[in-house]
Amino acid sequence: MNLLTDAWIPIQQQGSYQKITLQQLLCGEQSGELCLPRDDMELACLQLLCAITQVLFTPKNKKELGQYIQQPMTAQDYVEISREKMSWFDLNHAKTPFMQIRGVKSTQPTGMDKLLAGVADGTNKAFVNPQGLGEVLCGGCAAIALFNAANNCPSMGGGFKGSLRGSTPITILIRGKELRQTIWLNVLTEETAEAAMPWYQNTKDQLPNYLDTVKADVKIAASTIGLNRGLLWQPAHFELLPPKASGCCSCCGCIEPVYDGFNKAKFNYTVEGVWPHPLSARIFTVKKGEKEEKFPSFTTTAPTWTHLSRLVVDQQTDKEGQQTAPVIQQARTFMASDKIQLIVGGYRNNQATILERRHELFSLAQGWATHGEVIHQIIAAGLAYKTALRKALYLFAVGIKDKVHGSGINLCEPAETNYYQQTENLLHYSLASVDYAAPSAALNAQNGKLKAMVTALFEQATEPYRQEPKMLKALALARRSLNKSLQELKPEGANT
Ligand SMILES: [Zn+2]
């Protein structure tokens, strides 16, 4: 099973499902949307396709990238260039199987479900995953799962190293008109790669670490890891057991040769510093003169739009800052005058347990690239109205010491959840439709609606307590607080 020649890419077009090869996809012979029953596997599949394409066909400059985006490549080019790296992408290669190490010793094999994030360990797995998922996987799904575990998931636990981006990074990709375009929009040119990692030229001939292995206990500076090596970094020692002749893949449902387990072994080394992954924003703080960098991740239940500012806007002060993903930096240079669609995804975890997975689409109207402050204003307003609601309900619960007796009833959490649910579409709409050059009218309209929603949510939350004489003072206090906050946030002030 070789990812460069076999038909492993699950595609749906006009209701029909089939698997196609990378050559068919990049040469424009087949197209459609990726189709897998799990949204995280779909996202990982897209990431893997982008990584393979990046590794095989890094365009020199913007012009060459533009040609790839516009025109499918020729079969001859595909075959010629991909031939050199056949041994990188063979799942069953005798010496260098894809994302695996030969000769991994473990006392007993691990089930394939451990490779699928959140199947074996999720607290609510019965609700999230159809039963039986992960028992056996076909070659394509096994490759996607290996890649996903290496890039997007917490490590397998004590003694197993996690991905170069930490345990559950947020991944951001640009969406094109069709899958082939989407892939190219997420490939860096040599120029962008050099800007993101100044060591790019010196390291571009490096092999992946499953071909040129890392020695035990070494320290590796992130700034010595080249683009190809970093994209295909396998943090752990895994080896799939030989495939069974045929079976029904528990993920995609196809009848194909299947894998039913893998060996894993602990392996230690240290990567020092942060590797600038093409599909990740980075945030940093300066503490005692030292810059601490990390990748944003979903740490709370707050919706994805609350993170969008730090994913697409660069900002820097003496003490902290945020830098968008190299792929977004690149898009700014040739998509600034267009609207852009972004795919944002990742897991939320508690150590090794996956609590939630996300895979969402955002549209940003034309002007997004040069008016980061507007994106910031839209999101800041969305958060400020939420805070106004919380603050009022908090006062309702606790009152003011020695003055107003609190109700003792904390309505903050359910009200916040309702707020996020009811405002989600509005925030998406604002980002997609605002006139970034002259945003006042749209911001005023958005904030007027947010105000109405907050007022209604406050009334709805406190309604059951309006007849309680003991709570009347707390309710009046809360309402005063809400009105004061809303007054300060009045829509007219939104653009100042
Ligand atoms: Zn499958």
Side-chain angles (χ1 to χ4, degrees):
M1 156 57 195
N2 194 307
L3 297 170
L4 302 188
T5 50
D6 281 291
W8 65 275
I9 306 164
I11 292 287
Q12 182 179 289
Q13 195 181 30
Q14 290 165 351
S16 78
Y17 174 89
Q18 62 172 324
K19 288 195 177 178
I20 64 171
T21 66
L22 185 59
Q23 180 177 341
Q24 287 171 323
L25 182 59
L26 293 182
C27 298
E29 293 158 21
Q30 293 281 355
S31 72
E33 293 295 317
L34 287 177
C35 178
L36 280 167
R38 281 177 55 136
D39 51 359
D40 57 337
M41 286 289 279
E42 248 175 38
L43 185 65
C45 180
L46 178 59
Q47 273 175 264
L48 174 56
L49 289 169
C50 296
I52 299 174
T53 307
Q54 175 81 68
V55 163
L56 293 179
F57 310 104
T58 302
K60 283 204 171 41
N61 49 34
K62 220 162 42 176
K63 189 171 166 225
E64 208 174 294
L65 175 62
Q67 282 164 355
Y68 280 130
I69 294 171
Q70 296 302 330
Q71 284 284 324
M73 66 184 350
T74 65
Q76 194 188 353
D77 281 352
Y78 180 91
V79 170
E80 216 160 89
I81 296 171
S82 63
R83 192 181 294 140
E84 295 165 23
K85 296 200 168 72
M86 244 6 134
S87 60
W88 294 25
F89 296 104
D90 183 344
L91 207 56
N92 307 318
H93 195 277
K95 288 190 185 133
T96 61
F98 176 68
M99 306 258 345
Q100 305 158 68
I101 301 284
R102 280 281 174 239
V104 172
K105 302 240 177 338
S106 62
T107 45
Q108 59 177 27
T110 305
M112 293 304 278
D113 52 353
K114 272 294 248 184
L115 264 192
L116 292 175
V119 173
D121 56 3
T123 44
N124 53 357
K125 59 184 181 181
F127 299 106
V128 187
N129 302 297
Q131 253 195 342
L133 201 66
E135 285 157 11
V136 295
L137 293 179
C138 71
C141 292
I144 297 166
L146 277 170
F147 185 78
N148 191 41
N151 277 283
N152 303 327
C153 302
S155 81
M156 294 268 162
F160 286 90
K161 303 299 284 187
S163 91
L164 284 182
R165 297 189 289 170
S167 65
T168 52
I170 297 177
T171 296
I172 184 162
L173 295 123
I174 301 161
R175 190 175 199 269
K177 288 196 194 83
E178 51 164 349
L179 181 57
R180 192 186 62 79
Q181 274 196 358
T182 299
I183 292 171
W184 284 112
L185 287 172
N186 295 292
V187 166
L188 301 185
T189 64
E190 292 205 352
E191 286 171 355
T192 317
E194 276 182 65
M197 45 185 86
W199 55 91
Y200 169 75
Q201 286 295 348
N202 293 335
T203 52
K204 69 177 185 178
D205 297 324
Q206 283 179 353
L207 300 173
N209 69 345
Y210 53 91
L211 273 88
D212 176 14
T213 53
V214 164
K215 294 196 174 54
D217 301 319
V218 291
K219 283 186 179 159
I220 304 158
S223 60
T224 60
I225 301 175
L227 181 60
N228 294 349
R229 192 166 167 88
L231 276 177
L232 299 174
W233 189 262
Q234 172 52 276
H237 276 192
F238 292 159
E239 183 179 18
L240 295 174
L241 301 181
K244 302 264 180 295
S246 176
C248 176
C249 173
S250 326
C251 182
C252 71
C254 290
I255 310 284
E256 285 180 41
V258 288
Y259 299 81
D260 65 355
F262 66 102
N263 285 318
K264 63 181 196 307
K266 291 180 182 180
F267 183 73
N268 193 46
Y269 57 87
T270 310
V271 175
E272 292 175 325
V274 165
W275 191 73
H277 194 283
L279 305 179
S280 263
R282 278 168 288 147
I283 45 181
F284 67 85
T285 49
V286 178
K287 282 180 191 155
K288 293 178 188 162
E290 295 270 309
K291 190 172 171 185
E292 273 177 35
E293 240 184 332
K294 64 173 185 177
F295 299 99
S297 59
F298 301 115
T299 52
T300 67
T301 53
T304 305
W305 62 258
T306 64
H307 297 269
L308 210 65
S309 165
R310 57 184 188 168
L311 298 181
V312 293
V313 183
D314 285 326
Q315 243 171 13
Q316 192 164 345
T317 67
D318 293 346
K319 294 207 176 83
E320 57 181 15
Q322 56 192 35
Q323 195 172 14
T324 55
V327 75
I328 301 292
Q329 313 257 7
Q330 175 172 280
R332 277 202 200 116
T333 68
F334 69 96
M335 293 180 78
S337 58
D338 295 324
K339 66 173 185 169
I340 192 170
Q341 284 200 303
L342 301 171
I343 300 164
V344 181
Y347 298 103
R348 185 163 65 84
N349 71 316
N350 178 6
Q351 296 186 326
T353 303
I354 301 288
L355 302 172
E356 190 191 346
R357 51 188 210 227
R358 298 189 190 179
H359 179 178
E360 293 174 35
L361 191 64
F362 284 87
S363 294
L364 301 180
Q366 161 194 2
W368 65 274
T370 43
H371 292 285
E373 78 284 356
V374 177
I375 296 174
H376 186 71
Q377 280 171 0
I378 291 172
I379 290 160
L383 290 171
Y385 281 89
K386 185 261 310 179
T387 304
L389 178 61
R390 268 199 85 115
K391 193 174 155 197
L393 292 174
Y394 179 76
L395 282 173
F396 176 65
V398 303
I400 296 176
K401 201 176 174 204
D402 302 330
K403 285 187 180 159
V404 179
H405 199 65
S407 69
I409 295 164
N410 191 341
L411 303 165
C412 294
E413 294 308 321
E416 177 172 314
T417 304
N418 284 340
Y419 175 84
Y420 279 141
Q421 275 170 4
Q422 293 190 16
T423 55
E424 176 110 40
N425 288 343
L426 177 60
L427 267 298
H428 274 261
Y429 175 77
S430 290
L431 292 162
S433 65
V434 65
D435 178 350
Y436 279 93
S440 303
L443 279 167
N444 286 348
Q446 169 191 282
N447 294 355
K449 286 179 189 154
L450 289 175
K451 181 181 174 182
M453 284 181 188
V454 163
T455 309
L457 284 169
F458 177 85
E459 296 304 334
Q460 186 192 328
T462 54
E463 209 273 326
Y465 311 102
R466 237 169 267 163
Q467 307 303 326
E468 297 280 342
K470 277 187 286 183
M471 296 183 190
L472 287 180
K473 280 189 175 169
L475 187 57
L477 170 71
R479 184 169 281 125
R480 266 204 310 281
S481 158
L482 183 69
N483 288 336
K484 186 163 172 283
S485 301
L486 293 179
Q487 190 64 29
E488 285 163 8
L489 285 168
K490 63 179 187 292
E492 293 75 19
N495 58 340
T496 56

